[in-house]
Amino acid sequence: MISQYKLLVVMIVAALSGCQGDENTTLESGNDNIYVPIVKGEVTLPSLHVGTTARGTYEYFDPNVQPRKEATSLYVWRDQHLAEVSKEREIKLDYEHLGNSLSFCVTPIAQGDKNTIGQENCSKEVEVKEPLADKPTVVDVVIDGNTIITVGDTLEGTYSYLHIDDLEQGATELRWKADGAEIVGKISNLIKLTAAETEGKEIVFCVTPITAVTDNNPAIKGDEVCSDITTKVLPFSGDAPVVESVSIDGSPFVHAELTGIYQYSDANDDLESNSQYIWKRDTDVIPSQTEKTYKVTSDDLNTTISFCVMPKAATGLPNSGSETCFSMDKVIEEIVENAPTAKDVIISVDGGIATVGKELQGTFTYTQVQNAAQGIADIQWKRGDTIIKECEDNESDCLTYVVTDTDLTNENIIFSVTPKTLYETSGVLTPSSAILASGLKLSGKLEYNAEITATGFGDFQDLSAIEWRINTNTQDGPLGDTDPGSRTSILEANGASSYRIGVVGDSKNDLDWNHSKLVDARNFIGKNLDVCVNDYCINASDSQVTGGMYVTGSVDNKRTIEPVRYIKNGQANYHRPLTVLEVQNKTLGDLPTFKHIITLNGIDWAAYDHDDPSNKDILNVCRKLDKGQWHLPVSWFKESKDYVINQFSSDGNNPPVVQSDSLIAISKNLMKDTTDELSNVFGWPVAKSSPYASATMQKSNKSLPFRVFYFDGSNSSTTNNNVARVVSCVESIN
């Protein structure tokens, strides 16, 4: 079980108040109707069967000194998906409900005008089952007709209806199926076979018997029974399909697009399917041209183009007709026309500044002195000498380009057009005026006491108006940084291209720091950092900065300012404790699952049990962190009959053992703190509510086997086994 170590303020109000509904907020004097009505006991349902009327059962109770009578209580039936089925006390069950699980809920309402609405109570879900009465049956379900059946034949289905109690037949359901799929709309016992529905398929006739509705019995469905399947339905032998009115739409010029036109017909109403299209150059078939359209090439010059169709029918026999052709009445010529021009070639952007994520819109005006029809232009987008997009202006989104981080280079972006006529006479490549991608790039580490550097591009090359924004008004970490509008500007960093996160003055450790100051590490850890120039802002976690930690809340999947990750002391380097999400997301290694959560400054820190030498979760946090380069530190540095210096030496744990470089020295000199919060310089958990684990085991007191670190200035010591430990791992500095 995950436990939460949080400071809770609990207010116990020694009064009973009706808080179950909107009317229960005011209490009358003299204990007059001070309680809402309730449902006494459980709400129950009988067994549910199709054809019955079900009624929910409950006991209304008003707990006031003078009980009030029940008014019109509210009822609702819900299915297993919590969808409302009915709002009545009773429900008539039919086959629509079969297989669903229903619950009945009641909200008790008392007579009067105060504290009248109680809390909704619901029964357990009960599955709706088959009717209680015997089902009807059918026998001798057969198809009358020839053994060999053909499109156009009429089949008749027959059956015999039976019921053990001689209940009369009602609206029995009849179905015809072709290859197992129901033929829509065929619900009588007769069917005429059509080509589209049945050709080449096996037919079956199915019956679902239903009893008649009487005063005492609902309609009861039996089980569907189907006939034997037929042989496959043969196609009807009739006339071949034909095509008429074959023609070509288009002009006889090189680069023109031609379209074949024709009308398909079939005397037997067989539908068209995959008719063959053939284009010919004089009498020769043009290879690979099998579509309705054909674009004329220079190979066709001085030849006659023909379009031919061989009709194909989807059903019936014969299913292929004769080829019919149409030839153009003029030979193909090469048209001579002046080159077109592109005028007013422009890049526009909403707001006028091409920031990352903005869409650039390219436009141009086509002109040609002979008014030749416009064709498909070639489009090119370039950044400096690099082509970033090439396309044709009939393609989707060709005339737009979305600015990316890659474009932040202070190189010009240019939109260029090569206009063409309908017959592909090309104009010259015409560029637009240049535009610069504008934005900021950040580098550095998203870590307290680390430096972030901003570089401006385009309209933001001048950083004199830059602002560094963090919500430093609170010390509750990510819980206090969910409102971007609350961020405050870090005045001493404004106008500077670099900012060292949170540093004020030259404080080196907690002993130098004045806790009465309003702004320290606790005001920065877990917060978002925004960097803004005028109205343009970027979040540091969206940039190329490294570091940072993932936190919960509305900034999920965003990295926020992390505590100082490494503290170097002499020849030892200590890694800060890990958060719950850092353990979960496995980016730092396949770390053991935390057993507890210690919440400080709105950050959930991962904590573990550490009272049994066989439980090596805390060791494995270090041995698996960053590919296993870390070790669990020790808290005892000399041989003694009372302590084992390194309980996990056989497991590869090899921490430094110089006392002056130890976590104990850090706790005494750098992070002394008796408050239950974070170090105000490093942002690490401090004090006895968050003890740090070690690899040192006590020999004599088996109930308190491991020594731990406190950041309260005292020596390290043991702690009760039920206190969760956080972990700071160590490595030697070579």
Side-chain angles (χ1 to χ4, degrees), residues 3-11 475-476 479 597-605 674-677 689-690:
S3 57
Q4 293 278 357
Y5 287 77
K6 295 186 176 180
L7 176 63
L8 300 179
V9 179
V10 181
M11 179 176 292
Q475 291 188 353
D476 51 1
L479 300 181
I597 298 174
I598 297 176
T599 301
L600 297 172
N601 286 78
I603 300 170
D604 289 338
W605 300 89
T674 57
T675 57
D676 184 10
E677 51 182 37
S689 67
S690 53

Side-chain angles (χ1 to χ4, degrees), residues 37-39 58-62 68-70 73 108-111:
I38 63 174
V39 171
Y58 69 95
E59 183 179 353
Y60 167 87
F61 179 72
D62 185 59
R68 298 161 293 178
K69 293 183 178 180
E70 185 177 10
S73 294
I109 298 179
Q111 295 180 4

Side-chain angles (χ1 to χ4, degrees), residues 531-609:
V531 186
C532 304
V533 177
N534 300 324
D535 295 329
Y536 173 76
C537 298
I538 64 171
N539 186 284
S541 67
D542 292 330
S543 63
Q544 296 180 356
V545 298
T546 60
M549 65 179 181
Y550 294 93
V551 294
T552 57
S554 66
V555 289
D556 278 346
N557 300 320
K558 295 284 188 180
R559 290 174 293 126
T560 61
I561 298 170
E562 67 170 303
V564 175
R565 183 169 288 267
Y566 307 114
I567 297 178
K568 293 182 180 179
N569 190 35
Q571 296 302 306
N573 191 31
Y574 290 89
H575 192 293
R576 67 162 172 81
L578 304 177
T579 68
V580 165
L581 285 181
E582 287 170 329
V583 170
Q584 288 177 329
N585 65 25
K586 306 297 185 184
T587 57
L588 300 176
D590 187 16
L591 306 177
T593 302
F594 55 89
K595 296 300 187 295
H596 308 274
I597 298 174
I598 297 176
T599 301
L600 297 172
N601 286 78
I603 300 170
D604 289 338
W605 300 89
Y608 297 82
D609 294 323

Side-chain angles (χ1 to χ4, degrees), residues 393-437:
D393 69 341
N394 66 328
E395 298 176 15
S396 176
D397 300 326
C398 184
L399 299 177
T400 61
Y401 177 75
V402 178
V403 180
T404 70
D405 280 332
T406 307
D407 300 315
L408 296 179
T409 62
N410 287 327
E411 294 180 295
N412 290 327
I413 294 178
I414 295 176
F415 164 72
S416 299
V417 179
T418 302
K420 293 183 180 181
T421 67
L422 181 63
Y423 300 118
E424 297 195 3
T425 300
S426 293
V428 297
L429 178 71
T430 306
S432 69
S433 57
I435 191 170
L436 282 175

Side-chain angles (χ1 to χ4, degrees), residues 28 195 237 289 331 424 441 527 539 565 648 686 734:
E28 294 181 345
S237 294
Q289 299 302 315
V331 297
E424 297 195 3
K441 282 187 177 180
K527 304 296 187 68
N539 186 284
R565 183 169 288 267
F648 301 114
V686 294
N734 297 325

Side-chain angles (χ1 to χ4, degrees), residues 334-349:
E334 189 164 28
I335 194 167
V336 178
E337 55 189 358
N338 291 349
T341 58
K343 294 184 177 181
D344 303 322
V345 183
I346 297 170
I347 297 178
S348 59
V349 59

